[in-house]
Amino acid sequence: RLVFTVSSARLGAEVMVHELAQAGMLGPAPHGTLPVVLAAERLLCCGGLYYQLGRGGFTSLQKCMRGQGPSGLWRLLFAIPLLGEALLRALVLANRAGLLE
């Protein structure tokens, strides 16, 4: 579950930085300057982790670690979208690498 929290914050930061760079807000468009992009991505990721874990999320994280988390059915229901997301990311990566052509 901690992996989902970290990947969610990381992915959110990546998407926000990509959109800001495309708009030219992080340096010369379309990509921005690398140090600014990396710094913005790290800051947004840390902010997302703080918001998810530091503001009340730590209590729920402790419950999940002790086994007091959601039941098996809820875990299965939450796993289905995560598997779909992983499949989509793998397809995009394979497409960009030219493996699907």
Side-chain angles (χ1 to χ4, degrees), residues 73-92:
L73 178 62
W74 282 110
R75 290 179 186 174
L76 178 65
L77 289 175
F78 287 136
I80 292 170
L82 291 175
L83 288 173
E85 179 186 2
L87 177 65
L88 286 174
R89 287 187 71 124
L91 287 172
V92 167

Side-chain angles (χ1 to χ4, degrees), residues 9-93:
R10 176 82 172 92
L11 184 62
E14 185 179 331
V15 168
M16 287 190 287
V17 166
H18 177 72
E19 293 298 321
L20 289 172
Q22 289 293 340
M25 299 176 142
L26 297 177
H31 302 295
T33 59
L34 187 61
V36 174
V37 169
L38 290 176
E41 193 171 316
R42 300 271 186 314
L43 285 172
L44 287 170
C45 184
C46 289
L49 286 174
Y50 171 75
Y51 185 77
Q52 291 183 39
L53 297 176
R55 297 180 46 95
F58 188 71
T59 305
S60 59
L61 177 67
Q62 285 180 332
K63 287 181 182 179
C64 290
M65 292 296 200
R66 284 188 246 138
Q68 300 172 356
S71 68
L73 178 62
W74 282 110
R75 290 179 186 174
L76 178 65
L77 289 175
F78 287 136
I80 292 170
L82 291 175
L83 288 173
E85 179 186 2
L87 177 65
L88 286 174
R89 287 187 71 124
L91 287 172
V92 167
L93 183 65

